[in-house]
Amino acid sequence: MGMDALGGDGGEPPVLAASERAAMVRRIEADGAFAADPGWMEAFAAVPRHLFVPYYYVSGSRGYERRWAGSPDPRSRERWLRGAYEDVPLATRVRDGELISSSSQPSLMALMLAALRVGEGDRVLEIGAGTGYNAALLSYRLGEESVTTVDLDPEITESARRHLAEAGHHPAVVTGDGARGVPERAPFDRIIATCTLTTIPRAWTAQCRPGGLVLAPLATGLVALTVHDAAHAEGRFLHTPAYFVPLRGGGRPEPEPVPLGGVPPRARESDLFRFLLTLTRGALDPQAAYALWEREDRPGRERYGVTVDGEHVWAWLDAPDGPYAWALPEPLAPEPVAAQGSDPGEGPDPGEGT
């Protein structure tokens, strides 16, 4: 593959990138991820993912291998470009052996965006800026003035802002604790998190309009909550598994691993049992979780849900007032929110964040 086809000047590789992007969209469509909202297909076909991953890391026999757009070897650049359009998550930032940030699997991103059920004029807050790719997809669909993305790490927000600008999008990119939302940009119609949680922060329901939707990774699933008012929300999990980097900030330590002594191997190896065990951490010991799992015929994720009621948040199986309910960790108190009638355009300069 020659330099011209790969775009040696750092611009978009016009031939290979377009064909790889089209192939990625076909794979996502074949998986059914666009089924709930086919309108996202156009965004994925238009937004160049490779601009958001100028380098990434892949695991190899000698540890992580770095692939990057600036390699002097044309074959290495081709591997980088083709890899950017694989339907896999890409590790983009590693610190002291810990994965800090990644570009999520495109088909999972498509499924989540479709589950948001966005409409014209909706304002969206994304928790976890990552590379900026998801914010670019949202900006393409809804307009950059309707999109805010926040991340705790200033290096991540700086690079996300740069990637977005290179792709022609300028949503609000904010440096801050995602658990506290972005009160100066509220209210929002949709909140989508791209980092896993142990509970639902109170700030998110407080900053979402009544009738809005919060979509968040919790345990190893995705819960879609309909917001009733600032303190109340409820909804079920989607059927799909979801694994994300944990939300940093919020003042909460990472949970310790749960010992599985006494649990049969078939349960230990089951993704659905591990989901139940993670969701009920601190409320059910592994043996009690296993007994429930077998008694209820090994329930899928879609049978579980979450209720937010003021300061109390709990997960449940089948019904919020049913026999199976487990308290989740107490969420942080929200920051003050601007009046609901305030100008939604007020707030920091979308190009600068805070």
Side-chain angles (χ1 to χ4, degrees):
M1 184 67 62
M3 288 286 287
D4 289 343
L6 285 171
D9 62 355
E12 177 178 344
V15 178
L16 184 58
S19 63
E20 291 295 309
R21 187 158 62 251
M24 181 188 75
V25 172
R26 288 193 297 271
R27 288 192 295 270
I28 296 173
E29 182 183 16
D31 285 343
F34 294 127
D37 186 352
W40 286 106
M41 193 182 308
E42 181 181 341
F44 277 83
V47 176
R49 189 189 190 202
H50 70 277
L51 294 184
F52 295 87
V53 286
Y55 63 88
Y56 55 86
Y57 301 91
V58 295
S59 181
S61 58
R62 292 181 292 179
Y64 279 106
E65 172 196 349
R66 184 175 186 257
R67 294 182 183 176
W68 63 303
S71 172
D73 181 2
R75 291 171 298 180
S76 295
R77 292 200 305 277
E78 181 177 347
R79 282 195 299 271
W80 157 76
L81 184 58
R82 291 187 184 278
Y85 288 103
E86 289 293 324
D87 187 25
V88 296
L90 298 175
T92 56
R93 194 174 295 268
V94 178
R95 183 181 297 159
D96 298 328
E98 178 186 3
L99 178 61
I100 300 297
S101 186
S102 65
S103 180
S104 301
Q105 182 179 7
S107 59
L108 179 58
M109 295 172 68
L111 187 149
M112 292 177 68
L113 289 170
L116 271 186
R117 304 196 304 270
V118 296
E120 185 177 355
D122 279 349
R123 290 169 50 78
V124 179
L125 170 63
E126 178 194 29
I127 311 294
T131 65
Y133 180 51
N134 203 51
L137 294 165
L138 286 162
S139 296
Y140 182 91
R141 177 78 182 266
L142 299 173
E144 60 190 31
E145 68 282 353
S146 297
V147 179
T148 303
T149 184
V150 60
D151 203 287
L152 185 66
D153 192 327
E155 293 182 4
I156 290 176
T157 52
E158 180 183 353
S159 63
R161 190 180 295 114
R162 184 172 60 251
H163 299 156
L164 283 157
E166 186 175 356
H169 300 289
H170 300 86
V173 181
V174 179
T175 303
D177 185 351
R180 299 191 180 277
V182 184
E184 65 271 25
R185 297 278 298 175
F188 302 99
D189 300 284
R190 301 287 187 271
I191 295 178
I192 179 172
T194 56
C195 43
T196 197
L197 312 167
T198 57
T199 192
I200 303 298
R202 289 166 60 188
W204 295 4
T205 53
Q207 293 173 28
C208 198
R209 287 191 176 99
L213 189 72
V214 173
L215 181 66
L218 186 67
T220 61
L222 292 168
V223 66
L225 303 174
T226 299
V227 175
H228 303 305
D229 57 39
H232 299 86
E234 191 168 85
R236 290 184 178 270
F237 282 85
L238 307 185
H239 72 279
T240 186
Y243 297 88
F244 286 87
V245 175
L247 172 68
R248 293 173 297 134
R252 299 196 180 280
E254 290 300 311
E256 295 295 325
V258 177
L260 295 178
V263 175
R266 67 178 178 275
R268 295 187 192 192
E269 297 167 3
S270 168
D271 170 67
L272 291 175
F273 176 71
R274 291 196 301 270
F275 168 73
L276 170 62
L277 198 62
T278 305
L279 185 65
T280 61
R281 186 190 301 269
L284 290 180
D285 63 40
Q287 291 73 30
Y290 172 67
L292 183 153
W293 187 65
E294 288 286 10
R295 185 168 60 250
E296 291 298 320
D297 197 24
R298 306 176 187 181
R301 285 176 174 81
E302 63 275 11
R303 285 180 59 187
Y304 297 88
V306 170
T307 297
V308 178
D309 186 357
E311 296 182 0
H312 305 289
V313 184
W314 68 93
W316 39 266
L317 176 66
D318 291 332
D321 56 354
Y324 301 121
W326 311 279
L328 297 180
E330 182 180 344
L332 294 172
E335 296 289 325
V337 183
Q340 294 284 307
S342 62
D343 179 2
E346 291 177 358
D349 179 359
E352 296 296 329
T354 57

